[in-house]
mmCIF file of all heavy atoms in Angstrom:
data_model
loop_
_atom_site.group_PDB
_atom_site.id
_atom_site.type_symbol
_atom_site.label_atom_id
_atom_site.label_comp_id
_atom_site.label_asym_id
_atom_site.label_seq_id
_atom_site.Cartn_x
_atom_site.Cartn_y
_atom_site.Cartn_z
ATOM 1 N N ALA A 5 -61.601 -50.425 -121.188
ATOM 2 C CA ALA A 5 -60.535 -50.281 -122.132
ATOM 3 C C ALA A 5 -59.168 -50.476 -121.462
ATOM 4 O O ALA A 5 -58.307 -51.154 -121.941
ATOM 5 C CB ALA A 5 -60.550 -48.851 -122.720
ATOM 6 N N THR A 6 -59.010 -49.844 -120.236
ATOM 7 C CA THR A 6 -57.876 -50.085 -119.359
ATOM 8 C C THR A 6 -58.367 -50.141 -117.956
ATOM 9 O O THR A 6 -59.399 -49.579 -117.571
ATOM 10 C CB THR A 6 -56.802 -49.056 -119.492
ATOM 11 O OG1 THR A 6 -57.419 -47.749 -119.096
ATOM 12 C CG2 THR A 6 -56.276 -48.853 -120.912
ATOM 13 N N HIS A 7 -57.621 -50.838 -117.040
ATOM 14 C CA HIS A 7 -58.049 -50.992 -115.694
ATOM 15 C C HIS A 7 -56.778 -51.370 -114.843
ATOM 16 O O HIS A 7 -56.121 -52.331 -115.216
ATOM 17 C CB HIS A 7 -59.122 -52.072 -115.526
ATOM 18 C CG HIS A 7 -59.544 -52.318 -114.142
ATOM 19 N ND1 HIS A 7 -60.440 -51.525 -113.472
ATOM 20 C CD2 HIS A 7 -59.200 -53.316 -113.215
ATOM 21 C CE1 HIS A 7 -60.705 -51.975 -112.305
ATOM 22 N NE2 HIS A 7 -59.803 -53.025 -112.111
ATOM 23 N N TRP A 8 -56.568 -50.627 -113.717
ATOM 24 C CA TRP A 8 -55.573 -50.967 -112.761
ATOM 25 C C TRP A 8 -56.091 -52.152 -111.969
ATOM 26 O O TRP A 8 -57.133 -52.108 -111.378
ATOM 27 C CB TRP A 8 -55.245 -49.846 -111.790
ATOM 28 C CG TRP A 8 -54.438 -48.753 -112.428
ATOM 29 C CD1 TRP A 8 -54.947 -47.562 -112.926
ATOM 30 C CD2 TRP A 8 -53.037 -48.707 -112.765
ATOM 31 N NE1 TRP A 8 -53.902 -46.826 -113.507
ATOM 32 C CE2 TRP A 8 -52.725 -47.562 -113.439
ATOM 33 C CE3 TRP A 8 -52.022 -49.668 -112.584
ATOM 34 C CZ2 TRP A 8 -51.466 -47.242 -113.834
ATOM 35 C CZ3 TRP A 8 -50.771 -49.351 -112.993
ATOM 36 C CH2 TRP A 8 -50.490 -48.115 -113.653
ATOM 37 N N LEU A 9 -55.382 -53.282 -111.987
ATOM 38 C CA LEU A 9 -55.843 -54.495 -111.340
ATOM 39 C C LEU A 9 -55.618 -54.449 -109.828
ATOM 40 O O LEU A 9 -54.568 -53.941 -109.409
ATOM 41 C CB LEU A 9 -55.138 -55.703 -111.936
ATOM 42 C CG LEU A 9 -55.478 -56.129 -113.347
ATOM 43 C CD1 LEU A 9 -54.511 -57.180 -113.870
ATOM 44 C CD2 LEU A 9 -56.901 -56.584 -113.458
ATOM 45 N N GLY A 10 -56.544 -54.914 -109.091
ATOM 46 C CA GLY A 10 -56.465 -54.985 -107.682
ATOM 47 C C GLY A 10 -56.777 -56.478 -107.176
ATOM 48 O O GLY A 10 -57.366 -57.222 -107.950
ATOM 49 N N HIS A 11 -56.370 -56.748 -105.951
ATOM 50 C CA HIS A 11 -56.547 -58.082 -105.477
ATOM 51 C C HIS A 11 -58.059 -58.477 -105.474
ATOM 52 O O HIS A 11 -58.944 -57.767 -105.123
ATOM 53 C CB HIS A 11 -56.150 -58.151 -103.979
ATOM 54 C CG HIS A 11 -56.301 -59.504 -103.347
ATOM 55 N ND1 HIS A 11 -55.495 -60.544 -103.642
ATOM 56 C CD2 HIS A 11 -57.172 -59.934 -102.444
ATOM 57 C CE1 HIS A 11 -55.843 -61.628 -102.989
ATOM 58 N NE2 HIS A 11 -56.935 -61.235 -102.224
ATOM 59 N N GLY A 12 -58.268 -59.659 -106.110
ATOM 60 C CA GLY A 12 -59.662 -60.202 -106.255
ATOM 61 C C GLY A 12 -60.388 -59.788 -107.483
ATOM 62 O O GLY A 12 -61.527 -60.242 -107.782
ATOM 63 N N ASP A 13 -59.807 -58.956 -108.284
ATOM 64 C CA ASP A 13 -60.502 -58.525 -109.584
ATOM 65 C C ASP A 13 -60.635 -59.799 -110.442
ATOM 66 O O ASP A 13 -59.750 -60.635 -110.573
ATOM 67 C CB ASP A 13 -59.646 -57.565 -110.326
ATOM 68 C CG ASP A 13 -59.906 -56.072 -109.821
ATOM 69 O OD1 ASP A 13 -60.802 -55.879 -109.100
ATOM 70 O OD2 ASP A 13 -59.098 -55.205 -110.238
ATOM 71 N N THR A 14 -61.827 -59.910 -111.074
ATOM 72 C CA THR A 14 -62.097 -61.026 -111.960
ATOM 73 C C THR A 14 -62.187 -60.436 -113.359
ATOM 74 O O THR A 14 -63.031 -59.612 -113.647
ATOM 75 C CB THR A 14 -63.477 -61.703 -111.576
ATOM 76 O OG1 THR A 14 -63.332 -62.199 -110.298
ATOM 77 C CG2 THR A 14 -63.742 -62.820 -112.574
ATOM 78 N N VAL A 15 -61.250 -60.922 -114.246
ATOM 79 C CA VAL A 15 -61.208 -60.483 -115.664
ATOM 80 C C VAL A 15 -61.922 -61.555 -116.500
ATOM 81 O O VAL A 15 -61.567 -62.726 -116.421
ATOM 82 C CB VAL A 15 -59.774 -60.292 -116.089
ATOM 83 C CG1 VAL A 15 -59.685 -59.840 -117.567
ATOM 84 C CG2 VAL A 15 -59.016 -59.350 -115.186
ATOM 85 N N SER A 16 -62.937 -61.106 -117.267
ATOM 86 C CA SER A 16 -63.647 -62.070 -118.134
ATOM 87 C C SER A 16 -63.196 -61.819 -119.588
ATOM 88 O O SER A 16 -63.343 -60.746 -120.097
ATOM 89 C CB SER A 16 -65.170 -61.857 -118.045
ATOM 90 O OG SER A 16 -65.565 -62.090 -116.697
ATOM 91 N N ILE A 17 -62.654 -62.915 -120.238
ATOM 92 C CA ILE A 17 -62.261 -62.845 -121.585
ATOM 93 C C ILE A 17 -62.927 -64.091 -122.293
ATOM 94 O O ILE A 17 -62.599 -65.211 -121.928
ATOM 95 C CB ILE A 17 -60.722 -62.925 -121.708
ATOM 96 C CG1 ILE A 17 -60.187 -61.639 -121.126
ATOM 97 C CG2 ILE A 17 -60.305 -63.115 -123.143
ATOM 98 C CD1 ILE A 17 -58.679 -61.591 -121.135
ATOM 99 N N GLY A 18 -63.859 -63.747 -123.164
ATOM 100 C CA GLY A 18 -64.602 -64.873 -123.788
ATOM 101 C C GLY A 18 -65.420 -65.637 -122.696
ATOM 102 O O GLY A 18 -66.073 -65.005 -121.877
ATOM 103 N N LYS A 19 -65.254 -66.941 -122.738
ATOM 104 C CA LYS A 19 -65.946 -67.745 -121.693
ATOM 105 C C LYS A 19 -65.059 -68.141 -120.513
ATOM 106 O O LYS A 19 -65.430 -68.844 -119.644
ATOM 107 C CB LYS A 19 -66.467 -69.003 -122.295
ATOM 108 C CG LYS A 19 -67.488 -68.736 -123.421
ATOM 109 C CD LYS A 19 -67.946 -70.026 -124.054
ATOM 110 C CE LYS A 19 -69.067 -69.772 -125.093
ATOM 111 N NZ LYS A 19 -69.572 -71.046 -125.649
ATOM 112 N N HIS A 20 -63.855 -67.430 -120.499
ATOM 113 C CA HIS A 20 -62.938 -67.748 -119.405
ATOM 114 C C HIS A 20 -62.781 -66.589 -118.468
ATOM 115 O O HIS A 20 -63.163 -65.405 -118.844
ATOM 116 C CB HIS A 20 -61.517 -68.059 -120.022
ATOM 117 C CG HIS A 20 -61.476 -69.324 -120.718
ATOM 118 N ND1 HIS A 20 -62.063 -69.528 -121.959
ATOM 119 C CD2 HIS A 20 -60.779 -70.481 -120.445
ATOM 120 C CE1 HIS A 20 -61.812 -70.789 -122.361
ATOM 121 N NE2 HIS A 20 -61.052 -71.375 -121.383
ATOM 122 N N THR A 21 -62.277 -66.869 -117.267
ATOM 123 C CA THR A 21 -61.991 -65.862 -116.244
ATOM 124 C C THR A 21 -60.532 -65.957 -115.787
ATOM 125 O O THR A 21 -60.018 -66.993 -115.712
ATOM 126 C CB THR A 21 -62.945 -65.879 -115.084
ATOM 127 O OG1 THR A 21 -62.876 -67.131 -114.433
ATOM 128 C CG2 THR A 21 -64.415 -65.555 -115.427
ATOM 129 N N LEU A 22 -60.035 -64.803 -115.515
ATOM 130 C CA LEU A 22 -58.730 -64.675 -114.858
ATOM 131 C C LEU A 22 -58.880 -63.922 -113.580
ATOM 132 O O LEU A 22 -59.399 -62.819 -113.598
ATOM 133 C CB LEU A 22 -57.708 -63.924 -115.748
ATOM 134 C CG LEU A 22 -57.269 -64.611 -117.041
ATOM 135 C CD1 LEU A 22 -56.787 -63.660 -118.058
ATOM 136 C CD2 LEU A 22 -56.210 -65.579 -116.742
ATOM 137 N N VAL A 23 -58.492 -64.457 -112.440
ATOM 138 C CA VAL A 23 -58.559 -63.846 -111.141
ATOM 139 C C VAL A 23 -57.214 -63.386 -110.748
ATOM 140 O O VAL A 23 -56.245 -64.124 -110.743
ATOM 141 C CB VAL A 23 -59.151 -64.853 -110.073
ATOM 142 C CG1 VAL A 23 -59.245 -64.174 -108.744
ATOM 143 C CG2 VAL A 23 -60.509 -65.389 -110.444
ATOM 144 N N PHE A 24 -57.175 -62.037 -110.524
ATOM 145 C CA PHE A 24 -55.934 -61.429 -110.110
ATOM 146 C C PHE A 24 -55.793 -61.440 -108.609
ATOM 147 O O PHE A 24 -56.755 -61.013 -107.922
ATOM 148 C CB PHE A 24 -55.880 -59.953 -110.546
ATOM 149 C CG PHE A 24 -54.687 -59.157 -110.211
ATOM 150 C CD1 PHE A 24 -53.522 -59.268 -111.025
ATOM 151 C CD2 PHE A 24 -54.617 -58.412 -109.059
ATOM 152 C CE1 PHE A 24 -52.359 -58.539 -110.639
ATOM 153 C CE2 PHE A 24 -53.457 -57.629 -108.739
ATOM 154 C CZ PHE A 24 -52.356 -57.772 -109.525
ATOM 155 N N ALA A 25 -54.739 -62.064 -108.058
ATOM 156 C CA ALA A 25 -54.654 -62.218 -106.622
ATOM 157 C C ALA A 25 -53.167 -62.185 -106.222
ATOM 158 O O ALA A 25 -52.301 -62.595 -106.901
ATOM 159 C CB ALA A 25 -55.231 -63.603 -106.203
ATOM 160 N N TYR A 26 -53.011 -61.602 -105.029
ATOM 161 C CA TYR A 26 -51.661 -61.570 -104.405
ATOM 162 C C TYR A 26 -51.595 -62.809 -103.520
ATOM 163 O O TYR A 26 -52.596 -63.247 -103.024
ATOM 164 C CB TYR A 26 -51.488 -60.349 -103.505
ATOM 165 C CG TYR A 26 -51.251 -59.055 -104.323
ATOM 166 C CD1 TYR A 26 -52.286 -58.222 -104.618
ATOM 167 C CD2 TYR A 26 -49.976 -58.758 -104.749
ATOM 168 C CE1 TYR A 26 -52.039 -57.048 -105.362
ATOM 169 C CE2 TYR A 26 -49.745 -57.613 -105.522
ATOM 170 C CZ TYR A 26 -50.763 -56.749 -105.800
ATOM 171 O OH TYR A 26 -50.574 -55.615 -106.544
ATOM 172 N N VAL A 27 -50.374 -63.376 -103.488
ATOM 173 C CA VAL A 27 -50.123 -64.574 -102.623
ATOM 174 C C VAL A 27 -50.390 -64.118 -101.191
ATOM 175 O O VAL A 27 -50.099 -62.951 -100.766
ATOM 176 C CB VAL A 27 -48.752 -65.064 -102.796
ATOM 177 C CG1 VAL A 27 -48.406 -66.191 -101.941
ATOM 178 C CG2 VAL A 27 -48.494 -65.396 -104.296
ATOM 179 N N GLU A 28 -50.957 -64.977 -100.357
ATOM 180 C CA GLU A 28 -51.298 -64.651 -98.982
ATOM 181 C C GLU A 28 -50.076 -64.203 -98.183
ATOM 182 O O GLU A 28 -49.008 -64.839 -98.303
ATOM 183 C CB GLU A 28 -51.898 -65.882 -98.326
ATOM 184 C CG GLU A 28 -52.471 -65.488 -96.996
ATOM 185 C CD GLU A 28 -53.508 -66.521 -96.460
ATOM 186 O OE1 GLU A 28 -54.162 -67.102 -97.320
ATOM 187 O OE2 GLU A 28 -53.619 -66.638 -95.233
ATOM 188 N N GLY A 29 -50.226 -63.099 -97.559
ATOM 189 C CA GLY A 29 -49.077 -62.609 -96.771
ATOM 190 C C GLY A 29 -48.218 -61.658 -97.583
ATOM 191 O O GLY A 29 -47.382 -60.953 -97.005
ATOM 192 N N GLU A 30 -48.379 -61.568 -98.907
ATOM 193 C CA GLU A 30 -47.587 -60.708 -99.711
ATOM 194 C C GLU A 30 -48.050 -59.233 -99.644
ATOM 195 O O GLU A 30 -49.251 -59.020 -99.496
ATOM 196 C CB GLU A 30 -47.725 -61.132 -101.172
ATOM 197 C CG GLU A 30 -46.947 -60.324 -102.171
ATOM 198 C CD GLU A 30 -47.145 -60.803 -103.600
ATOM 199 O OE1 GLU A 30 -48.061 -61.687 -103.832
ATOM 200 O OE2 GLU A 30 -46.422 -60.420 -104.484
ATOM 201 N N GLU A 31 -47.058 -58.362 -99.715
ATOM 202 C CA GLU A 31 -47.444 -56.925 -99.617
ATOM 203 C C GLU A 31 -48.190 -56.631 -100.864
ATOM 204 O O GLU A 31 -47.801 -56.882 -101.985
ATOM 205 C CB GLU A 31 -46.190 -56.134 -99.543
ATOM 206 C CG GLU A 31 -46.426 -54.638 -99.497
ATOM 207 C CD GLU A 31 -45.143 -53.824 -99.411
ATOM 208 O OE1 GLU A 31 -44.052 -54.342 -99.088
ATOM 209 O OE2 GLU A 31 -45.204 -52.614 -99.835
ATOM 210 N N ARG A 32 -49.374 -55.936 -100.704
ATOM 211 C CA ARG A 32 -50.168 -55.627 -101.860
ATOM 212 C C ARG A 32 -49.882 -54.147 -102.243
ATOM 213 O O ARG A 32 -50.162 -53.204 -101.590
ATOM 214 C CB ARG A 32 -51.651 -55.660 -101.441
ATOM 215 C CG ARG A 32 -52.032 -57.184 -101.140
ATOM 216 C CD ARG A 32 -53.473 -57.281 -100.867
ATOM 217 N NE ARG A 32 -53.673 -58.641 -100.390
ATOM 218 C CZ ARG A 32 -54.861 -59.073 -100.037
ATOM 219 N NH1 ARG A 32 -55.877 -58.285 -99.990
ATOM 220 N NH2 ARG A 32 -54.949 -60.357 -99.673
ATOM 221 N N GLU A 33 -49.120 -54.148 -103.415
ATOM 222 C CA GLU A 33 -48.671 -52.812 -103.866
ATOM 223 C C GLU A 33 -49.806 -52.047 -104.497
ATOM 224 O O GLU A 33 -50.754 -52.695 -105.034
ATOM 225 C CB GLU A 33 -47.521 -53.035 -104.795
ATOM 226 C CG GLU A 33 -46.370 -53.700 -104.057
ATOM 227 C CD GLU A 33 -45.264 -54.131 -105.043
ATOM 228 O OE1 GLU A 33 -45.436 -54.069 -106.271
ATOM 229 O OE2 GLU A 33 -44.268 -54.539 -104.556
ATOM 230 N N THR A 34 -49.626 -50.753 -104.561
ATOM 231 C CA THR A 34 -50.665 -49.969 -105.205
ATOM 232 C C THR A 34 -50.127 -49.419 -106.521
ATOM 233 O O THR A 34 -48.895 -49.236 -106.659
ATOM 234 C CB THR A 34 -51.063 -48.764 -104.321
ATOM 235 O OG1 THR A 34 -49.924 -47.926 -104.012
ATOM 236 C CG2 THR A 34 -51.758 -49.241 -103.021
ATOM 237 N N ALA A 35 -51.024 -49.119 -107.439
ATOM 238 C CA ALA A 35 -50.605 -48.633 -108.720
ATOM 239 C C ALA A 35 -50.023 -47.267 -108.658
ATOM 240 O O ALA A 35 -50.412 -46.435 -107.760
ATOM 241 C CB ALA A 35 -51.858 -48.640 -109.676
ATOM 242 N N SER A 36 -49.155 -46.905 -109.537
ATOM 243 C CA SER A 36 -48.495 -45.578 -109.552
ATOM 244 C C SER A 36 -49.497 -44.510 -109.868
ATOM 245 O O SER A 36 -49.312 -43.324 -109.544
ATOM 246 C CB SER A 36 -47.344 -45.528 -110.629
ATOM 247 O OG SER A 36 -47.917 -45.723 -111.898
ATOM 248 N N GLY A 37 -50.648 -44.840 -110.498
ATOM 249 C CA GLY A 37 -51.663 -43.886 -110.824
ATOM 250 C C GLY A 37 -52.504 -43.441 -109.605
ATOM 251 O O GLY A 37 -53.364 -42.643 -109.665
ATOM 252 N N ALA A 38 -52.310 -44.118 -108.466
ATOM 253 C CA ALA A 38 -53.069 -43.775 -107.256
ATOM 254 C C ALA A 38 -52.807 -42.368 -106.739
ATOM 255 O O ALA A 38 -51.797 -41.733 -107.163
ATOM 256 C CB ALA A 38 -52.829 -44.823 -106.162
ATOM 257 N N GLY A 39 -53.585 -41.921 -105.847
ATOM 258 C CA GLY A 39 -53.363 -40.579 -105.259
ATOM 259 C C GLY A 39 -54.198 -39.533 -105.933
ATOM 260 O O GLY A 39 -53.820 -38.375 -105.968
ATOM 261 N N GLY A 40 -55.377 -39.905 -106.461
ATOM 262 C CA GLY A 40 -56.225 -38.950 -107.060
ATOM 263 C C GLY A 40 -56.077 -38.913 -108.577
ATOM 264 O O GLY A 40 -56.998 -38.407 -109.293
ATOM 265 N N MET A 41 -54.972 -39.200 -109.175
ATOM 266 C CA MET A 41 -54.718 -39.128 -110.596
ATOM 267 C C MET A 41 -55.483 -40.158 -111.373
ATOM 268 O O MET A 41 -55.632 -40.028 -112.566
ATOM 269 C CB MET A 41 -53.268 -39.130 -110.943
ATOM 270 C CG MET A 41 -52.510 -37.882 -110.481
ATOM 271 S SD MET A 41 -53.252 -36.356 -111.193
ATOM 272 C CE MET A 41 -52.868 -36.497 -112.888
ATOM 273 N N ASP A 42 -55.951 -41.217 -110.724
ATOM 274 C CA ASP A 42 -56.618 -42.280 -111.478
ATOM 275 C C ASP A 42 -58.110 -42.021 -111.577
ATOM 276 O O ASP A 42 -58.827 -42.743 -112.233
ATOM 277 C CB ASP A 42 -56.415 -43.673 -110.722
ATOM 278 C CG ASP A 42 -56.940 -43.667 -109.266
ATOM 279 O OD1 ASP A 42 -57.102 -42.639 -108.667
ATOM 280 O OD2 ASP A 42 -57.116 -44.779 -108.756
ATOM 281 N N LYS A 43 -58.600 -40.913 -110.991
ATOM 282 C CA LYS A 43 -60.015 -40.592 -111.079
ATOM 283 C C LYS A 43 -60.250 -39.606 -112.241
ATOM 284 O O LYS A 43 -59.426 -38.675 -112.435
ATOM 285 C CB LYS A 43 -60.516 -39.932 -109.774
ATOM 286 C CG LYS A 43 -60.469 -40.980 -108.657
ATOM 287 C CD LYS A 43 -61.017 -40.505 -107.422
ATOM 288 C CE LYS A 43 -61.038 -41.626 -106.467
ATOM 289 N NZ LYS A 43 -60.927 -41.450 -105.126
ATOM 290 N N THR A 44 -61.241 -39.773 -112.984
ATOM 291 C CA THR A 44 -61.558 -38.936 -114.090
ATOM 292 C C THR A 44 -62.899 -38.157 -113.813
ATOM 293 O O THR A 44 -63.858 -38.794 -113.466
ATOM 294 C CB THR A 44 -61.722 -39.799 -115.460
ATOM 295 O OG1 THR A 44 -60.457 -40.540 -115.554
ATOM 296 C CG2 THR A 44 -61.936 -38.829 -116.628
ATOM 297 N N MET A 45 -62.846 -36.880 -114.081
ATOM 298 C CA MET A 45 -64.002 -36.085 -113.901
ATOM 299 C C MET A 45 -64.985 -36.315 -115.053
ATOM 300 O O MET A 45 -64.554 -36.444 -116.214
ATOM 301 C CB MET A 45 -63.591 -34.616 -113.912
ATOM 302 C CG MET A 45 -64.724 -33.638 -113.780
ATOM 303 S SD MET A 45 -64.271 -31.914 -113.934
ATOM 304 C CE MET A 45 -64.137 -31.749 -115.692
ATOM 305 N N VAL A 46 -66.217 -36.446 -114.750
ATOM 306 C CA VAL A 46 -67.259 -36.630 -115.827
ATOM 307 C C VAL A 46 -67.546 -35.218 -116.405
ATOM 308 O O VAL A 46 -67.837 -34.263 -115.694
ATOM 309 C CB VAL A 46 -68.530 -37.232 -115.229
ATOM 310 C CG1 VAL A 46 -69.588 -37.260 -116.289
ATOM 311 C CG2 VAL A 46 -68.267 -38.538 -114.599
ATOM 312 N N MET A 47 -67.398 -35.195 -117.757
ATOM 313 C CA MET A 47 -67.682 -33.946 -118.488
ATOM 314 C C MET A 47 -69.168 -33.660 -118.474
ATOM 315 O O MET A 47 -69.999 -34.551 -118.654
ATOM 316 C CB MET A 47 -67.205 -33.989 -119.909
ATOM 317 C CG MET A 47 -65.726 -33.907 -120.014
ATOM 318 S SD MET A 47 -65.002 -33.861 -121.694
ATOM 319 C CE MET A 47 -66.278 -33.676 -122.761
ATOM 320 N N ASP A 48 -69.555 -32.413 -118.212
ATOM 321 C CA ASP A 48 -70.931 -31.938 -118.319
ATOM 322 C C ASP A 48 -70.939 -30.644 -118.983
ATOM 323 O O ASP A 48 -71.166 -29.586 -118.371
ATOM 324 C CB ASP A 48 -71.535 -31.852 -116.909
ATOM 325 C CG ASP A 48 -73.020 -31.633 -116.897
ATOM 326 O OD1 ASP A 48 -73.672 -31.898 -117.945
ATOM 327 O OD2 ASP A 48 -73.590 -31.142 -115.942
ATOM 328 N N THR A 49 -70.779 -30.640 -120.314
ATOM 329 C CA THR A 49 -70.791 -29.379 -121.069
ATOM 330 C C THR A 49 -71.853 -29.609 -122.169
ATOM 331 O O THR A 49 -72.186 -30.718 -122.514
ATOM 332 C CB THR A 49 -69.430 -29.103 -121.757
ATOM 333 O OG1 THR A 49 -69.161 -30.219 -122.641
ATOM 334 C CG2 THR A 49 -68.308 -29.006 -120.701
ATOM 335 N N ASP A 50 -72.231 -28.450 -122.726
ATOM 336 C CA ASP A 50 -73.193 -28.513 -123.862
ATOM 337 C C ASP A 50 -72.612 -29.253 -125.034
ATOM 338 O O ASP A 50 -73.366 -30.092 -125.639
ATOM 339 C CB ASP A 50 -73.591 -27.111 -124.287
ATOM 340 C CG ASP A 50 -74.389 -26.314 -123.248
ATOM 341 O OD1 ASP A 50 -75.068 -27.069 -122.387
ATOM 342 O OD2 ASP A 50 -74.386 -25.068 -123.212
#
């Protein structure tokens, strides 16, 4: 539904693909959601 893109991720839309890539030597920035907040706990309730 949503996904933070990282270097090398392959996005499939229909019969096409989009490859997300940083230019060689470019600083690879991290998403603002990093640092534990991007992880979701799996609910295990009745």
Side-chain angles (χ1 to χ4, degrees):
T6 61
H7 177 82
W8 287 101
L9 291 170
H11 180 73
D13 279 347
T14 300
V15 179
S16 299
I17 295 180
K19 296 180 178 184
H20 290 73
T21 57
L22 290 158
V23 178
F24 180 84
Y26 285 96
V27 178
E28 189 159 332
E30 178 182 9
E31 181 182 338
R32 296 181 186 179
E33 300 171 350
T34 58
S36 62
M41 289 304 293
D42 61 342
K43 295 185 173 151
T44 303
M45 180 184 79
V46 175
M47 287 185 8
D48 188 21
T49 63
D50 292 336

